[in-house]
């Protein structure tokens, strides 16, 4: 079966469109929640609390600049976090804050 020129163009355009949709849905930048300034659940990666800098930690809901500095200070003084729950040892982080961010962080 031989395709006409316009059928070939339509088939090529369809393949390009499907390819762009696939790429757009699999490779996305983190989205910023405009209201709270925090990373949304669409964040495609976890923040490593043992290597994150102030700017990365500050993107987490309930973690401001001072708390981010406290995390880094605790990490420098006590070594790497062994568990995510150890964050509760940092001044300014309680169980409710940990519950908000635990799905977005890793050790």
């Amino acid at each position: 079966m031989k395709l006409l020129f316009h059928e070939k163009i339509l088939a090529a355009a369809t393949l390009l469109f499907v390819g762009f949709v696939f790429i757009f849905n699999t490779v996305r930048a983190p989205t910023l929640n405009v209201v709270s300034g925090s990373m949304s659940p669409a964040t495609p990666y976890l923040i490593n609390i043992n290597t994150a800098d102030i700017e990365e930690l500050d993107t987490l809901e309930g973690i401001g600049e001072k708390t981010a500095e406290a995390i880094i200070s605790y990490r420098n003084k006590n070594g790497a976090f062994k568990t995510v729950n150890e964050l509760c040892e940092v001044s300014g982080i309680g169980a409710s804050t940990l519950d908000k961010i635990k799905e977005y962080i890793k050790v």
Side-chain angles (χ1 to χ4, degrees):
M1 175 173 150
K2 191 169 184 175
L3 293 177
L4 298 174
F5 178 75
H6 72 278
E7 292 172 322
K8 291 178 184 178
I9 297 296
L10 182 61
T14 302
L15 286 173
L16 280 171
F17 176 78
V18 170
F20 283 124
V21 169
F22 175 77
I23 290 169
F24 178 77
N25 284 323
T26 55
V27 180
R28 251 189 252 202
T31 55
L32 188 64
N33 184 324
V34 177
V35 175
S36 69
S38 64
M39 298 302 276
S40 75
T43 304
Y45 60 87
L46 298 175
I47 293 176
N48 185 324
I49 59 174
N50 286 318
T51 59
D53 60 17
I54 291 173
E55 289 79 20
E56 285 179 294
L57 292 168
D58 191 31
T59 64
L60 296 165
E61 184 176 348
I63 305 294
E65 186 176 332
K66 289 197 184 275
T67 306
E69 289 172 354
I71 292 170
I72 292 171
S73 176
Y74 181 92
R75 187 173 71 198
N76 290 338
K77 182 178 179 184
N78 300 294
F81 291 95
K82 292 173 185 52
T83 67
V84 169
N85 292 337
E86 193 179 342
L87 266 179
C88 285
E89 300 295 321
V90 176
S91 177
I93 299 180
S96 63
T97 300
L98 183 61
D99 284 342
K100 291 178 194 175
I101 64 172
K102 87 165 77 167
E103 66 183 284
Y104 306 109
I105 59 175
K106 67 180 181 176
V107 291

